[in-house]
Amino acid sequence: MTLCGAYSSSHRYHTLAWGPHGMDAQGLLSGMLIAGGRECGRVRVDVNSFQTNLVASGGNESEIYIRDLNNFGSPMTPGPKTQPLEDVSCVAWNRQVKHILASARPSGRASIWNLRKNDLIIKVGDHSNMMHCSGLEWNPEVATQLVLASEDDRMPVIQIWDLRFATSPLKVLENHTRGVLAIAWSLADPELLLSCGKDNRILCWNHRGLTHLHRSNDSVLYELPTSTQWCFDIQWCLRNPAVLSAAAFDGHISIYSIMGGSSQAVSQTQADTISTSFGNMDPFGMGQTLPPLQLPQASPYTATPLKKPPKWIRRPVGASFAFGGKLVSLENIKPSPQQPQQPTAHVVHVSQVITETAFLERSAQLQAMLAAGSFTDFCQEKIDAAQNEFDKTVWSFLKVNFENDARGKYLELLGYKKEELAAKEVAAPVEAEAEASLPEEAPAPVQEGINLGLSRGVDCLITQALLTGDFGGAVVLCLHDNRMADSIILAIAGGAELLEKTQRKYFTKNPSKITKVRSASTVTSWSNQTPPALPSDLLE
């Protein structure tokens, strides 16, 4: 991830909180980052979601201050310090009522403050003195419910309390085997509660899956893959509700998604970093190159998705893909806490999803071609850009559809060219006559082979002539090969003029008395039922 900015301080920070944000003059997001230091103990901070200029902080000796970001000089306290004096481990503003603040102490007790009266309302917590409170969160929807987490290994539990029934926890979540270090409640789906602990686990709970005082492990909806180090802080992303971050003691911040995914081992990366630092040389001064480190091949850990869909993808929200890479999504935007009287906004978003840029470019070219009707140019571009003969041939056949004389060009693509065929038709009779003039003493099998080869060659030429529509050439080839019946049949298909020429050629090649009669009766017109004049030699 790209570093946006950095700031150095002489103080050691223990906690961070984002203040109010908006748009600056350049149209960029601007905001305030509030840090709690550790100069005199740990300091916890939280920003009021209704009045974003109010910041609550808790420190050592039960100190709780409410500061106005517009006036830092005069902080206020919610009331007298709780006794006995001890550190404030957590502070949290209520999510529904803007003047309610909660604070928790390591002993496992939580104090609820009414800032309108600057008075303590109630205290809730465990009486076993085994719960060391490490986390405090308000329910995003139910104003009277909050959750406490214990980092004590003797009691690694998460307790959900309802202030209306403060004698005992409403629910107890038990799945961590060691102390819980941090918790986070999802604002997008109040059923989802995150926790991380010393057992090196990050769990996502469904706290509504349990009944009153019912302890069960079935409420764990999801377990995220973690590294070899504990995670001491987890946070939900405010923009993408499925994304969360986890800060570990190894100095890394990991980004996860509760919608499922996989995590690869980072051992090889760490080994490469160490090797690079030493320049691949023996660190003990022997001057020898380090041998390659053979790490065991660990199978990647794949996390299964949630057992139930989160609230933000349930109806009445939804999404559907449309043609052209369009994604249509629906949502109902609730009014903000500052303006609860506004109605719910029903919004339809239409966005463009681009996954394959090259494919979309080809699609745009095709749409432009269809609109302009430039089919021939489009096919020619495809022919020029073809990477192999097969693609080139396919686009060549498609191009012929939009050109004149499509039949002739189809035949040319198939290898039948009229010019070449005409030359073969002229050469065939000459070759046949040359072969016919062979010496008579040639062996009979040799002569039969020659005649068979000539016959097959003429057949091929006749076929090509017919494919190209050259009936005249086919008739000439048949006449030269003395195929009179074939020539007459083909001449009929070629038209009246070709038939008449073929008949005359036939009668010329077969002179006899009866032939002259047939010629006179076939070629000469018998008009007005008057028979033609017969030749004088036939009358003798």
Side-chain angles (χ1 to χ4, degrees):
M1 298 178 67
T2 305
L3 179 65
C4 296
Y7 174 76
S8 300
S9 173
S10 58
H11 300 284
R12 297 180 62 189
Y13 296 138
H14 177 68
T15 184
L16 296 174
W18 282 106
H21 67 274
M23 306 296 290
D24 59 11
Q26 288 75 29
L28 301 175
L29 286 175
S30 62
M32 182 175 295
L33 185 62
I34 304 168
R38 299 181 60 175
E39 184 175 1
C40 299
R42 299 181 178 182
V43 177
R44 295 283 189 176
V45 294
D46 192 30
V47 181
N48 193 306
S49 59
F50 297 92
Q51 294 178 262
T52 53
N53 60 309
L54 298 181
V55 179
S57 63
N60 58 344
E61 296 184 355
S62 301
E63 290 180 341
I64 299 177
Y65 291 103
I66 310 298
R67 289 181 170 84
D68 188 345
L69 296 181
N70 300 322
N71 183 12
F72 282 91
S74 56
M76 63 167 290
T77 58
K81 295 181 179 181
T82 56
Q83 299 296 328
L85 297 178
E86 57 180 330
D87 294 342
V88 177
S89 57
C90 307
V91 290
W93 292 97
N94 192 281
R95 299 290 185 180
Q96 300 293 322
V97 184
K98 62 181 179 180
H99 59 270
I100 300 297
L101 177 71
S103 63
R105 296 180 290 171
S107 60
R109 305 282 291 177
S111 302
I112 313 301
W113 306 88
N114 184 351
L115 298 184
R116 283 185 176 177
K117 299 181 179 180
N118 283 357
D119 193 13
L120 179 66
I121 301 176
I122 191 175
K123 289 183 179 181
V124 296
D126 190 77
H127 298 280
S128 63
N129 294 326
M130 296 174 59
M131 183 173 178
H132 193 281
C133 187
S134 60
L136 168 64
E137 288 279 336
W138 284 100
N139 190 319
E141 288 187 343
V142 183
T144 58
Q145 290 186 6
L146 56 86
V147 61
L148 297 174
S150 171
E151 65 176 349
D152 196 317
D153 292 343
R154 299 172 298 173
M155 193 176 181
V157 298
I158 300 173
Q159 296 178 345
I160 299 178
W161 292 82
D162 195 310
L163 302 182
R164 296 168 294 181
F165 312 97
T167 56
S168 62
L170 181 66
K171 301 170 186 176
V172 178
L173 307 181
E174 295 177 321
N175 201 309
H176 285 285
T177 56
R178 297 188 64 184
V180 181
L181 297 177
I183 54 176
W185 215 323
S186 173
L187 300 180
D189 186 352
E191 296 185 13
L192 303 180
L193 178 68
L194 283 175
S195 65
C196 60
K198 300 177 187 177
D199 54 0
N200 198 30
R201 301 174 70 193
I202 299 178
L203 303 179
C204 183
W205 306 80
N206 174 22
H207 78 92
R208 292 184 181 176
L210 301 178
T211 58
H212 180 66
L213 286 181
H214 179 62
R215 293 170 169 82
S216 174
N217 296 334
D218 295 336
S219 59
V220 176
L221 292 177
Y222 186 69
E223 181 171 354
L224 289 97
T226 59
S227 62
T228 57
Q229 299 289 332
W230 298 349
C231 292
F232 62 86
D233 186 74
I234 49 177
Q235 297 289 338
W236 290 99
C237 177
L238 297 180
R239 292 180 176 271
N240 188 340
V243 176
L244 59 104
S245 65
F249 282 109
D250 59 1
H252 290 86
I253 298 178
S254 302
I255 308 299
Y256 299 99
S257 172
I258 62 171
M259 304 307 292
S262 61
S263 175
Q264 299 288 344
V266 297
S267 301
Q268 184 64 55
T269 303
Q270 295 174 348
D272 293 341
T273 302
I274 297 298
S275 299
T276 304
S277 301
F278 285 101
N280 289 329
M281 299 299 293
D282 185 1
F284 299 103
M286 301 301 293
Q288 299 178 357
T289 304
L290 289 172
L293 181 61
Q294 300 295 331
L295 293 175
Q297 296 295 327
S299 58
Y301 180 86
T302 302
T304 57
L306 288 172
K307 298 178 182 178
K308 59 180 297 186
K311 183 178 180 180
W312 59 84
I313 60 174
R314 299 181 205 159
R315 292 183 177 180
V317 301
S320 177
F321 277 103
F323 290 104
K326 293 291 192 302
L327 177 63
V328 181
S329 58
L330 320 171
E331 68 171 330
N332 298 329
I333 302 178
K334 293 183 178 180
S336 62
Q338 293 83 357
Q339 298 176 332
Q341 69 278 4
Q342 291 186 351
T344 301
H346 306 282
V347 183
V348 177
H349 300 282
V350 180
S351 56
Q352 182 73 40
V353 179
I354 300 177
T355 56
E356 298 184 16
T357 307
F359 177 78
L360 290 181
E361 291 178 353
R362 296 198 304 270
S363 176
Q365 292 176 359
L366 181 60
Q367 293 293 336
M369 179 271 296
L370 293 175
S374 55
F375 306 108
T376 304
D377 296 339
F378 182 81
C379 293
Q380 186 60 48
E381 292 178 1
K382 292 294 185 180
I383 294 172
D384 297 337
Q387 300 295 325
N388 52 64
E389 285 298 322
F390 177 79
D391 293 342
K392 186 175 182 179
T393 302
V394 170
W395 284 107
S396 297
F397 274 92
L398 291 176
K399 179 184 176 183
V400 170
N401 287 280
F402 313 106
E403 295 181 332
N404 297 327
D405 189 20
R407 174 183 173 83
K409 293 185 177 181
Y410 268 129
L411 292 171
E412 289 182 5
L413 291 174
L414 292 172
Y416 302 112
K417 296 183 179 180
K418 292 183 177 180
E419 296 79 4
E420 296 180 359
L421 180 61
K424 293 179 180 179
E425 291 172 358
V426 173
V430 177
E431 294 176 358
E433 293 176 0
E435 296 294 342
S437 62
L438 289 174
E440 295 181 357
E441 60 270 10
V446 175
Q447 187 66 40
E448 291 178 1
I450 293 173
N451 295 335
L452 181 61
L454 290 173
S455 178
R456 289 180 177 177
V458 172
D459 287 342
C460 181
L461 290 175
I462 293 173
T463 302
Q464 294 183 28
L466 293 176
L467 286 174
T468 57
D470 186 9
F471 290 98
V475 169
V476 170
L477 290 170
C478 289
L479 290 174
H480 281 294
D481 201 31
N482 202 27
R483 302 182 185 183
M484 296 303 174
D486 292 343
S487 64
I488 294 297
I489 294 174
L490 295 177
I492 295 173
E497 183 179 356
L498 179 61
L499 177 60
E500 181 180 352
K501 291 181 179 180
T502 305
Q503 289 173 342
R504 293 184 184 277
K505 185 69 175 178
Y506 169 74
F507 293 136
T508 302
K509 294 187 67 174
N510 297 275
S512 66
K513 294 182 179 181
I514 190 61
T515 300
K516 294 181 179 180
V517 176
R518 291 201 300 263
S519 174
S521 62
T522 303
V523 179
T524 306
S525 174
W526 294 68
S527 58
N528 300 322
Q529 302 296 325
T530 302
L534 297 177
S536 57
D537 57 343
L538 292 179
L539 299 176
E540 295 177 355

